Amino acid sequence: MNSTTSISQMQAWLESLRPKTLPLAVAAVVSGSALASWTGHFKWPVALLALLTAALLQILSNLANDYGDVAKGSDTEKRIGPMRGMQKGVITAKQMRTALKITVLISCLSGIALITVACNSPSDIIGFLALGVLAIVAAITYTVGTKPYGYMGLGDLSVLIFFGWLSVIGTYYLQANTFDLSTVLPATACGLLSVAVLNINNLRDIESDRQNGKNTLAVRLGAKKARYYHAALLIGAILCLAAFTLLHLKSWSGWLFLLAVPLLLKHMWKVLHDQTPEGMRPMLVQMVKAALLTNALFSIGLVFN
């Protein structure tokens, strides 16, 4: 293999891994760990293993999405989003299947290590093993299989569950070994911001998805209603964090997340007023940054509360 081919292969795999999406998975774990710190239950080994496992599951999802979309013909030249390794023909289906198997194995090992370090009771061990298997299945079946749920408009619900409730509350539980109802509000906020990222992605690809039978929620709602839905996601996240702060925090640092609100509102205004799929391309990066900033400020506020 010559150097040009080698570089091309490396670049193709990097594109398929989508490293820019990893901070979103990490942000949920950071929020859950910040909640654990706030209640005096923070544990470094658990937090680090949770970060590793979340990142691996995100990578698994990214690889599976590329494989599934290409296999079903959704990733075409008409798609506005960036072309990835399989779509370019640099990565074969066989190579991607091998990568998926390896990533599943590494994810399982990381998850088992996390459960071994964090869980103290048989019921917790069984419960989190089941959740781990469910997370792997969900990551793969988003676009892979005869009836991928991402093609039926259920991707948003999945993101809310896995990037919000399970990631944040699960991370907290693994460190505190108990469930705290107060964690539901910040977990929901984190999930809604992640759903907003997915919605921008779907708004960008709405025309090609519609033509190729990928019935995302944006396709089902239509471009106009999907933009109102996007605004509702952002407002809902802000309200959840505000409600948590009012109910549970006493220090001013709990309101640090408000520093991100102008960016969220500016983003929302642009999404509502730009009706073109092409206009959503820069909005995707902006939404990721806004979501990360909001979660980071909220986590910092918790730690110093």
Side-chain angles (χ1 to χ4, degrees), residues 187-207:
T188 302
C190 187
L192 291 175
L193 291 172
S194 295
V195 174
V197 173
L198 175 64
N199 188 55
I200 287 292
N201 182 80
N202 291 340
L203 275 170
R204 181 196 64 192
D205 298 332
I206 191 169
E207 296 301 332

Side-chain angles (χ1 to χ4, degrees), residues 51-165:
L51 283 171
L52 176 61
T53 304
L56 287 168
L57 288 171
Q58 180 62 57
I59 289 172
L60 176 63
S61 177
N62 292 343
L63 294 176
N65 287 352
D66 280 8
Y67 179 80
D69 282 340
V70 171
K72 288 178 171 56
S74 298
D75 278 354
T76 65
E77 294 181 355
K78 295 181 179 180
R79 180 173 171 270
I80 297 174
M83 292 180 66
R84 312 212 181 269
M86 281 192 69
Q87 188 182 2
K88 292 177 179 178
V90 179
I91 300 173
T92 66
K94 183 179 180 181
Q95 289 174 324
M96 186 60 79
R97 287 194 295 268
T98 300
L100 285 170
K101 292 175 183 177
I102 293 172
T103 309
V104 167
L105 176 60
I106 299 174
S107 299
C108 287
L109 292 175
S110 179
I112 290 171
L114 173 60
I115 291 170
T116 301
V117 170
C119 295
N120 299 321
S121 67
S123 60
D124 283 352
I125 293 174
I126 294 172
F128 276 95
L129 280 173
L131 288 175
V133 172
L134 182 62
I136 290 174
V137 172
I140 295 174
T141 57
Y142 179 72
T143 59
V144 176
T146 56
K147 292 184 179 180
Y149 64 88
Y151 281 64
M152 297 185 287
L154 297 176
D156 297 60
L157 178 59
S158 176
V159 168
L160 176 60
I161 293 172
F162 287 99
F163 284 80
W165 298 330

Side-chain angles (χ1 to χ4, degrees), residues 152-154 156 195 198-200 202-203 206-207 210 214-233 275:
M152 297 185 287
L154 297 176
D156 297 60
V195 174
L198 175 64
N199 188 55
I200 287 292
N202 291 340
L203 275 170
I206 191 169
E207 296 301 332
R210 181 183 291 113
K214 188 175 182 180
N215 295 314
T216 62
L217 188 56
V219 170
R220 291 182 178 275
L221 290 174
K224 185 175 182 180
K225 289 182 179 179
R227 283 170 167 77
Y228 292 146
Y229 165 65
H230 191 77
L233 291 172
Q275 300 297 314

